[in-house]
Amino acid sequence: MQVGFIGLGAMGIGMATNLAKAKLLAGVYNRTASKAQALATELNVTAYTDIATLAADMDVLLSCVSADSDVLEVIKLIATTAKTGAIVIDMSTVSSETAKQAASLLQAKGIAFLDAPVSGGVEGAINGSLSIMVGGEASIVETVRPVLEAMSSRIIHVGEVGSGQATKAVNQVMCAGINQAVTEALMFAAAQNLPMEKVLAAVAGGAAGNWFLDKRGSTMTNGTFAPGFKLALHHKDLHICQTMAAQAGISIPLSDMTVIAYQQLMADGFGDEDISALYRLKNPKR
Ligand code: NAP
């Protein structure tokens, strides 16, 4: 099985590397070609300079790019040359609607599609411990299970195409609330002049412990916000969640206030920082 990977960003580099370690990766493509060349040399795979040529050579194509329009752009190029019977797995976070559009563009050419967004951060991508939420046909999921297993510790087949992205939207609403809670609580700790590393150690071991606190608590309180997960990307995800909530007739106020906060941070030039940069707004001494 020839596997190709498109999109070597913060997530894609770790995911592609784990595919190579499992001896599954044949080729990579990245829009900024130098990144593909560097990783291909390191992993001893082929660097492709265009998506259509990569797609023609592969049985399975994975993509992890930024937003809805990027996914559709990539899918249209794949559709021009991919083999009948090829399988495309999009691991970006986009809307269910985009996943359905991608599936129908590819179906017309006899190419199968899974939406398979991930959670677990850059650390999960590097360690091969991502949680993958998959939408699409069960038989296709089984065919590519070894590919997914190379990158993850948990694969949940949710249902039909689009259901992986809908589940990821649930995850993103939850992350907004966690970000609000953790940044606010740590600013509160700072305001009490408590020894932060001791607070982090104590809280992490109890009922309030969580992934975000473990991975970003120390860095955010030290004023470091390297991505991680760019807040402009979470902002894009929360827009999708807001649309879904409106369609369902429910409100998601924690997400709404997070969108407003991210807009302010993006306007201040912090859109490429990790989502923990929300701490900047919570900290009155910023
Ligand atoms: P990133 O570091 O910004 O990387 C984005 C990648 O997509 C880059 O390789 C970029 O190429 C490529 N790209 C963007 N638009 C493209 C286009 N139109 N055509 C071809 N390639 C394009 O983002 P990331 O953090 O890896 O996130 C990727 C996806 O995973 C996003 O949908 C994000 O929401 C999701 N996600 C991220 C995390 C996280 O913690 N970072 C966790 C879970 C899910 P260039 O190198 O040329 O810019």
Side-chain angles (χ1 to χ4, degrees):
M1 191 190 279
Q2 294 284 101
V3 178
F5 201 102
I6 297 165
L8 304 171
M11 296 298 284
I13 285 188
M15 293 156 88
T17 301
N18 283 317
L19 287 167
K21 281 184 191 159
K23 307 213 178 306
L24 288 165
L25 190 70
V28 292
Y29 166 85
N30 194 66
R31 181 177 59 184
T32 306
S34 54
K35 282 198 222 169
Q37 191 53 62
L39 191 69
T41 304
E42 185 188 325
L43 302 179
N44 198 22
V45 299
T46 305
Y48 286 81
T49 52
D50 69 288
I51 290 175
T53 311
L54 170 80
D57 284 353
M58 301 296 156
D59 304 304
V60 176
L61 288 141
L62 294 97
S63 54
C64 189
V65 296
S66 305
D68 295 66
S69 59
D70 304 310
V71 168
L72 290 175
E73 203 178 295
V74 166
I75 294 291
K76 282 173 190 161
L77 288 168
I78 291 174
T80 57
T81 54
K83 303 168 193 167
T84 301
I87 299 171
V88 176
I89 310 171
D90 179 50
M91 311 194 81
S92 325
T93 302
V94 294
S95 69
S96 299
E97 271 322 300
T98 294
K100 287 174 193 164
Q101 271 186 54
S104 102
L105 278 165
L106 293 168
Q107 194 181 22
K109 305 274 173 119
I111 303 161
F113 177 81
L114 300 175
D115 52 307
V118 301
S119 180
V122 170
E123 292 85 347
I126 292 169
N127 300 334
S129 60
L130 293 167
S131 177
I132 308 187
M133 26 215 117
V134 191
E137 259 183 49
S139 62
I140 303 294
V141 178
E142 288 319 307
T143 304
V144 298
R145 190 170 283 278
V147 174
L148 300 179
E149 279 175 348
M151 299 176 284
S152 75
S153 56
R154 185 173 300 209
I155 301 159
I156 304 292
H157 178 213
V158 185
E160 62 191 17
V161 166
S163 61
Q165 292 295 356
T167 306
K168 173 73 192 202
V170 174
N171 186 85
Q172 298 310 76
V173 169
M174 212 174 282
C175 284
I178 291 166
N179 195 1
Q180 291 288 356
V182 171
T183 52
E184 185 167 304
L186 295 185
M187 176 276 295
F188 180 79
Q192 313 302 315
N193 292 317
L194 288 164
M196 191 58 79
E197 290 306 320
K198 290 186 179 175
V199 171
L200 291 171
V203 174
N210 63 78
W211 185 100
F212 187 63
L213 180 69
D214 285 348
K215 305 289 190 226
R216 306 284 180 258
S218 188
T219 48
M220 76 170 80
T221 51
N222 283 317
T224 304
F225 307 104
F229 182 30
K230 290 176 190 161
L231 71 88
L233 289 177
H234 197 201
H235 177 264
K236 168 257 307 175
D237 299 345
L238 292 175
H239 264 305
I240 294 169
C241 301
Q242 286 178 314
T243 304
M244 291 168 74
Q247 283 164 354
I250 58 166
S251 62
I252 46 171
L254 277 174
S255 294
D256 294 341
M257 67 185 272
T258 308
V259 166
I260 293 166
Y262 285 168
Q263 269 160 2
Q264 186 179 335
L265 286 162
M266 287 157 70
D268 290 347
F270 300 124
D272 280 345
E273 290 192 344
D274 185 72
I275 63 168
S276 54
L278 183 61
Y279 188 73
R280 289 181 182 278
L281 296 187
K282 304 281 182 184
N283 183 355
K285 293 181 194 146
R286 76 195 157 93

